[in-house]
Amino acid sequence: MVSARLAPVARARIAKATPQFGSKRFAHDLIIQNNPRGGTPTPIIKHGPATGGRSSVSGHTVTVFGCTGFLGRYLVHKIAKLGTQVIVPYRDEDEKRHLRVMGDLGQIVPMEWDARNPDQIYECLKHSDAVYNLTGRDHETRNFKFEDVNVKAAGLIASVAAQAGVSRFFHVSHLNASPDSASAFYRSKYAGERAVRDAFPEATIARPAGMYGHEDWLLNAMAQYPILYKLNNGRTKILPVHVLDVAQALGIMLTAPLTSTASTFALAGPAVHTYNSLLNLVAAMTMNPPSTAPTVPKAVAKAFATVSNRALWWPTVNADEIERKYIDDFGVELMEAAAAEEKPSGWSVGDGNAKMVGIDGEAIKSWADLDMEPDHVEEHAIKFLRRYRAASNFDMPLEMGTLKPPKQYHVVP
């Protein structure tokens, strides 16, 4: 009986003697978020495991406009996994349904917004220390033109973020953004960069190439509509990049202010492909015969796209998309020149490339500055294309002939 009465006392003494690791705080748990435009620095305190995780708290609050798009969903997953509270604006109930798979432990906060309403934009970002703008439109509709989404909306979000005192702003453009491009989409992407930098001079701009992934409109479109990629006889050269690599790069930029603030990153794939080579890859992965679709003349394809885009209310191929099928990705000539000497691990802009600069003339950065190496499309294509196989060969294995080494973890300042 005496020992039973003394048990609580003994447990209390043991608890006092046992070190409470969770209650300690270290210097590296405190981050001072300096605002480049002045103002009081914001202290950010990290909680939880040092390696992060959904049960930890990174101290950041981030708003991701365009979170329901192809890239946005992967980016939200990347930064939320680090314990970051993410505000995910949505336009309507259809987009809100996509947000259900993102919610976890109260870290995902959905809010309704309108790209033309600055008050709603302010409500979405007023508590955030960083804002991502992933909104974009690669086809025009009756309500939104390229200018409305890629330029005006981007500039408005950046302007509201600057007025609200947001410390960091990230804008996603395109690798081929150019004021002289034959594509209206590429011209609007360049104008959007200009509008963002005018409103937020320290903004970080990312220029990814065409992305592939589970919900892409590249490999999946080639498997379903190969005739679109027979344009230009399939000779158009592109640098496809994995959407997870782009999302990872954007996540690193958030925690690397010295590297990314007021910088422009070109995020292209590690190897040059033509539409013909990708069509052959799709045929090999799906175990279907190569496409025998004819090559449609450019004028005929643009006329058909114009008529169908006006006659049907849902998105179809448009004339500007046809134009983009004839434009090579920027940097392919450098990749081809370097391939004669040694196969590049990624597109490096330091190899005599003086043509591509940032919107303000700054030097272009790439994967090496983020301590990353992008994956090749051959390493992942089977995961996206297996569903197009017949039942008789669905489970047949695929031998790549190469061993992919594990990636190392590094911290970028």
Side-chain angles (χ1 to χ4, degrees):
M1 296 295 294
V2 176
S3 61
R5 289 195 297 268
L6 292 178
V9 179
R11 286 196 297 268
R13 290 179 178 176
I14 294 174
K16 291 181 179 180
T18 303
Q20 303 296 320
F21 297 102
S23 62
K24 289 187 177 181
R25 290 290 178 265
F26 301 93
H28 60 264
D29 291 329
L30 181 63
I31 301 174
I32 304 300
Q33 183 85 359
N34 292 314
N35 194 323
R37 298 183 311 282
T40 304
T42 304
I44 296 177
I45 301 176
K46 298 189 295 182
H47 301 274
T51 56
R54 291 187 180 273
S55 59
S56 64
V57 176
S58 69
H60 290 284
T61 301
V62 178
T63 301
V64 181
F65 292 96
C67 58
T68 58
F70 177 41
L71 174 61
R73 283 172 278 183
Y74 294 100
L75 174 62
V76 170
H77 168 74
K78 290 288 185 181
I79 58 180
K81 189 178 180 180
L82 301 176
T84 301
Q85 187 178 54
V86 186
I87 299 172
V88 286
Y90 65 91
R91 291 192 307 155
D92 50 36
E93 291 301 320
D94 288 337
E95 288 192 353
K96 187 177 182 180
R97 282 194 288 269
H98 290 293
L99 303 179
R100 294 175 183 173
V101 298
M102 298 182 182
D104 186 78
L105 299 178
Q107 290 294 85
I108 308 298
V109 182
M111 295 186 68
E112 189 173 3
W113 78 298
D114 187 336
R116 294 166 174 166
N117 191 331
D119 294 333
Q120 287 188 338
I121 295 175
Y122 174 75
E123 289 296 322
C124 291
L125 57 79
K126 66 179 181 181
H127 297 299
S128 300
D129 57 87
V131 172
Y132 286 90
N133 176 39
L134 275 61
T135 57
R137 175 78 67 177
D138 63 355
H139 63 278
E140 293 185 328
T141 65
R142 293 179 176 86
N143 295 323
F144 289 97
K145 306 300 182 184
F146 289 137
E147 179 78 12
D148 298 327
V149 181
N150 299 335
V151 183
K152 294 181 180 179
L156 181 59
I157 294 172
S159 176
V160 173
Q163 295 174 12
V166 174
S167 301
R168 308 283 303 285
F169 190 89
F170 305 89
H171 174 70
V172 175
S173 182
H174 195 280
L175 180 68
N176 296 333
S178 171
D180 305 320
S181 176
S183 167
F185 170 71
Y186 292 151
R187 294 196 302 269
S188 68
K189 277 297 186 181
Y190 185 88
E193 293 183 12
R194 183 71 273 162
V196 167
R197 279 288 176 84
D198 288 342
F200 204 111
E202 299 82 18
T204 301
I205 295 175
R207 293 176 176 175
M211 293 175 284
Y212 61 87
H214 279 287
E215 309 94 350
D216 68 11
W217 197 237
L218 180 62
L219 298 180
N220 286 289
M222 287 184 171
Q224 299 179 59
Y225 311 105
I227 191 173
L228 291 176
Y229 298 89
K230 290 287 188 174
L231 297 171
N232 197 23
N233 292 313
R235 295 193 298 260
T236 303
K237 300 173 184 178
I238 63 173
L239 298 168
V241 62
H242 196 190
V243 65
L244 288 180
D245 285 335
V246 177
Q248 179 70 17
L250 292 173
I252 293 176
M253 294 175 195
L254 174 64
T255 57
L258 296 180
T259 300
S260 61
T261 300
S263 300
T264 299
F265 290 85
L267 304 178
V272 179
H273 288 271
T274 64
Y275 285 145
N276 280 333
S277 67
L278 287 180
L279 285 172
N280 292 333
L281 176 65
V282 170
M285 296 295 175
T286 59
M287 294 188 172
N288 294 323
S291 172
T292 58
T295 299
V296 180
K298 182 178 181 180
V300 175
K302 294 184 76 170
F304 173 81
T306 301
V307 172
S308 63
N309 206 37
R310 293 181 178 179
L312 302 175
W313 64 268
W314 61 85
T316 61
V317 61
N318 57 83
D320 193 76
E321 183 180 356
I322 299 297
E323 187 66 47
R324 296 196 295 271
K325 292 290 189 293
Y326 288 79
I327 301 176
D328 292 340
D329 278 351
F330 190 91
V332 295
E333 63 279 357
L334 297 176
M335 296 284 288
E336 291 176 333
E341 303 175 2
E342 182 181 358
K343 188 174 181 62
S345 59
W347 180 37
S348 175
V349 295
D351 299 332
N353 179 21
K355 292 193 300 181
M356 188 178 191
V357 296
I359 191 70
D360 290 326
E362 72 273 16
I364 293 293
K365 297 181 179 180
S366 190
W367 302 103
D369 298 277
L370 301 173
D371 206 2
M372 288 184 62
E373 184 175 335
D375 292 337
H376 290 262
V377 64
E378 294 88 350
E379 299 172 357
H380 300 278
I382 185 59
K383 295 183 289 187
F384 320 132
L385 297 173
R386 186 183 292 273
R387 58 179 172 170
Y388 297 106
R389 287 185 175 185
S392 58
N393 56 25
F394 184 85
D395 292 329
M396 290 187 65
L398 178 71
E399 295 184 5
M400 293 295 299
T402 58
L403 176 63
K404 183 180 176 183
K407 292 186 177 181
Q408 300 295 323
Y409 174 78
H410 298 283
V411 177
V412 180

